Amino acid sequence: MGAGYVGGPTMAVIADRCPEIQVTVVDLNAERIASWNNPELSRLPVYEPGLDGVVARARGRNLHFTTEVDAAIAAADMVFLSVNTPTKTRGVGAGQASDLRWIEACTRQVAAAAQGHTIVVEKSTLPVRTAETVQTILAAAEQGGDGAIKSFAVLSNPEFLAEGTAIADLEAPDRVLIGGQDADALEALAQVYGHWVPAERILRTNLWSSELSKLTANAFLAQRVSSINSIAALCETTGADVKEVARAIGTDTRIGSRFLQSGPGFGGSCFQKDILNLVYLCRHYGLTEVAEYWEQVVALNSWQQRRIARLVVQRLFNTVAGKRVALLGFAFKADTNDTRESPAIRIAKDLLEEGAQLSIHDPKVADEQIVRDLAQPAGMGESTWHSCIDPVEACQGADAVLILTEWQQFRTLDWSAIATVMRRPAWLFDCRAIADAEAARAAGLQIWTVGEG
Ligand code: NAD
Ligand code: UGA
């Protein structure tokens, strides 16, 4: 249940690797389901390298996308709950706790529509002990008002894929985590993954460890990004270079080299929401110091996003009013069309607030998405934005260009062509430290690179 960034790719890979299992992905959003069924594979609702090939092999064979939710539940031996769990926006815990209304709605629908024995798998990221709620709702249906005999087992099976590498992550996961008490259910799910994941990579834990491991993994990953971004700021003021520092510390096998790339701050739908959820849980259990510790990871991240917009304004003589500023990249990372919590959104909004005219180029993000994210339609003039089909067009007449997403094509930009169309003095703000700085400097641009003193 849930044909989103997780449900779609995850179930497509299961179908691809387990041809004898019929996989049906359901969603209430008819438009999304129609896109998953689109014969043109370039128009799937999620952009992920390799996803089109997987869908092409399995769709129509043992992979189906439909809005017929009840029928799919009734036919299923196993139901994965893969719906959204965003941060609550109102009521108790607003701004921190997860909004579990979609998980509860799904669970109630499974309770009502299931037939026979059904294994219910929590695939969404959930606060620790959510399985208790899921079990309680399902148990009420077992006792049955409608006379039908049904039974349930509940498992936790959080997803660790990262967007942009979802298919590679699903096909060769570091580990698959399954939490639960019911040995038969655990074995059944382990067998599904056993089609392609080596047995030693399938970890079994109790329900609560599994639920909490997912929040913890994201908290640790996000913490590394905030840690390196904090050091980047210190590098900039002391003459050190964060790339050199990252290499120096990353060669220590206890620290490791991954997730030490300084940038405009982490984005994506999950890091911030999952840490805030952890913070909320800690406060709920009276662990104030623990809550405050993790809260700082998010605070540092917001600061990093804000300081980039501020320093752009400073370098442009303290005003960007009416000036054209080009943004290269709007997605929260490369190789995805997802913009949820993208640092580009906050940076763009801050620059619009200062009166800039933004020209935005992203290879995969649709204009309608930018309209929603910036909460204003495209336009021309002060405090407006419009999109451009390529980087050179975006830089036309611009005083500054910001690299916000690490798309491969931005590593090899033709800086002499770009510099010619910009207004002088012209600035490059390389927020991902990926540009060919020598070429940009030779073309006459002034350069600020994140983490470079
Ligand atoms: P998403 O918003 O892309 O997809 C969720 C889908 O669920 C939507 O299409 C929505 O219409 C559908 N839905 C909601 N209620 C429904 C219902 N009652 N019946 C059927 N469909 C329903 O979200 P996502 O990014 O796929 O994330 C889903 C979960 O997975 C979240 O808990 C998230 O934290 C977790 N997660 C996400 C990622 C990621 O990279 N995006 C990675 C790991 C875990
Ligand atoms: C992250 C985790 O990596 C996944 O394991 C997890 O399943 C997922 O969240 C989730 O629960 O949603 P994702 O957000 O898709 O995956 O992408 P990441 O590669 O983790 O990047 C997150 C953000 O951190 C991006 O904005 C990225 O640019 C930034 N980042 C990452 C850095 O700034 N520096 C780095 O070194 C790494």
Side-chain angles (χ1 to χ4, degrees):
M1 300 180 76
Y5 281 88
V6 168
T10 309
M11 295 301 122
V13 168
I14 289 183
D16 191 29
R17 296 301 176 127
C18 312
E20 83 286 6
I21 300 179
Q22 287 297 319
V23 179
T24 305
V25 187
V26 297
D27 205 294
L28 302 175
N29 182 335
E31 204 182 320
R32 217 167 209 193
I33 289 297
S35 304
W36 281 109
N37 284 321
N38 197 317
E40 258 181 77
L41 289 165
S42 61
R43 309 194 60 167
L44 296 177
V46 169
Y47 171 72
E48 277 293 338
L51 175 64
D52 49 357
V54 173
V55 171
R57 282 194 293 275
R59 196 173 59 185
R61 178 190 71 186
N62 65 329
L63 175 64
H64 316 279
F65 295 93
T66 173
T67 51
E68 309 266 311
V69 183
D70 282 346
I73 294 171
D77 298 305
M78 201 178 268
V79 177
F80 291 80
L81 309 181
S82 192
V83 295
N84 34 320
T85 51
T87 305
K88 273 183 88 172
T89 53
R90 54 186 186 164
V92 177
Q96 288 198 329
S98 287
D99 192 340
L100 297 180
R101 76 174 94 168
W102 292 277
I103 275 289
E104 181 173 340
C106 281
T107 308
R108 288 185 184 280
Q109 198 164 0
V110 173
Q115 289 180 9
H117 185 66
T118 309
I119 299 171
V120 178
V121 184
E122 295 177 342
K123 179 54 98 181
S124 296
T125 301
L126 296 168
V128 56
R129 294 203 80 86
T130 304
E132 213 167 353
T133 308
V134 173
Q135 277 168 333
T136 306
I137 293 170
L138 296 173
E142 279 177 342
Q143 287 143 16
D146 56 3
I149 298 168
K150 50 179 97 178
S151 59
F152 300 96
V154 177
L155 298 175
S156 158
N157 171 224
E159 184 49 59
F160 295 100
L161 69 80
E163 288 179 30
T165 53
I167 300 304
D169 295 343
L170 288 164
E171 290 183 336
D174 285 348
R175 81 314 211 170
V176 164
L177 179 58
I178 308 178
Q181 280 104 342
D182 184 316
D184 293 340
L186 270 165
E187 190 48 38
L189 184 53
Q191 270 183 25
V192 172
Y193 286 109
H195 281 72
W196 78 98
V197 180
E200 66 277 10
R201 292 201 178 186
I202 303 178
L203 310 184
R204 300 172 198 216
T205 65
N206 77 31
L207 273 168
W208 322 128
S209 305
S210 175
E211 289 178 331
L212 188 55
S213 297
K214 174 62 198 178
L215 293 182
T216 308
N218 274 359
F220 271 59
L221 289 168
Q223 181 198 44
R224 277 176 79 95
V225 178
S226 278
S227 296
I228 201 68
N229 283 340
S230 73
I231 298 302
L234 193 56
C235 287
E236 289 162 27
T237 50
T238 57
D241 180 339
V242 77
K243 275 189 176 164
E244 293 180 351
V245 174
R247 195 173 77 232
I249 64 166
T251 44
D252 185 326
T253 49
R254 293 169 304 174
I255 295 175
S257 61
R258 299 181 65 189
F259 256 73
L260 288 179
Q261 176 74 48
S262 177
F266 58 74
S269 62
C270 294
F271 277 180
Q272 176 168 312
K273 127 178 127 54
D274 292 347
I275 295 180
L276 292 176
N277 186 208
L278 193 64
V279 167
Y280 180 76
L281 286 167
C282 293
R283 288 232 162 81
H284 173 79
Y285 290 110
L287 300 167
T288 311
E289 286 75 9
V290 183
E292 283 169 356
Y293 174 74
W294 287 109
E295 212 161 23
Q296 275 309 304
V297 173
V298 176
L300 196 289
N301 195 54
S302 306
W303 173 79
Q304 176 77 346
Q305 296 179 3
R306 287 249 128 97
R307 88 179 175 96
I308 287 176
R310 270 202 306 270
L311 68 86
V312 170
V313 176
Q314 264 167 19
R315 300 292 202 282
L316 298 185
F317 312 114
N318 288 309
T319 175
V320 290
K323 292 180 181 169
R324 182 169 284 201
V325 176
L327 305 187
L328 300 187
F330 204 75
F332 80 96
K333 64 183 286 196
D335 292 322
T336 176
N337 59 348
D338 195 348
T339 63
R340 290 177 291 180
E341 303 294 336
S342 176
I345 299 173
R346 183 169 288 169
I347 293 168
K349 281 186 171 168
D350 284 356
L351 292 172
L352 287 171
E353 183 65 28
E354 294 282 343
Q357 287 187 57
L358 303 178
S359 42
I360 303 176
H361 167 71
D362 187 287
K364 288 290 171 194
V365 175
D367 284 9
E368 308 84 73
Q369 188 57 48
I370 304 178
V371 173
R372 282 195 290 273
D373 290 336
L374 298 182
Q376 69 177 74
M380 281 291 171
E382 210 169 300
S383 293
T384 63
W385 70 273
H386 66 275
S387 72
C388 299
I389 51 161
D390 63 48
V392 177
E393 188 197 321
C395 291
Q396 192 76 40
D399 288 18
V401 49
L402 278 65
I403 298 181
L404 293 178
T405 311
E406 75 285 21
W407 284 101
Q408 186 57 33
Q409 49 268 57
F410 299 160
R411 293 174 193 267
T412 53
L413 290 168
D414 179 351
W415 286 108
S416 62
I418 288 177
T420 341
V421 300
M422 291 179 76
R423 185 169 84 156
R424 302 297 174 102
W427 275 91
L428 160 62
F429 295 91
D430 185 359
C431 306
R432 295 281 184 174
I434 56 165
D436 180 348
E438 232 163 84
R441 205 166 282 122
L445 297 188
Q446 307 196 61
I447 305 179
W448 173 87
T449 305
V450 68
E452 217 178 271

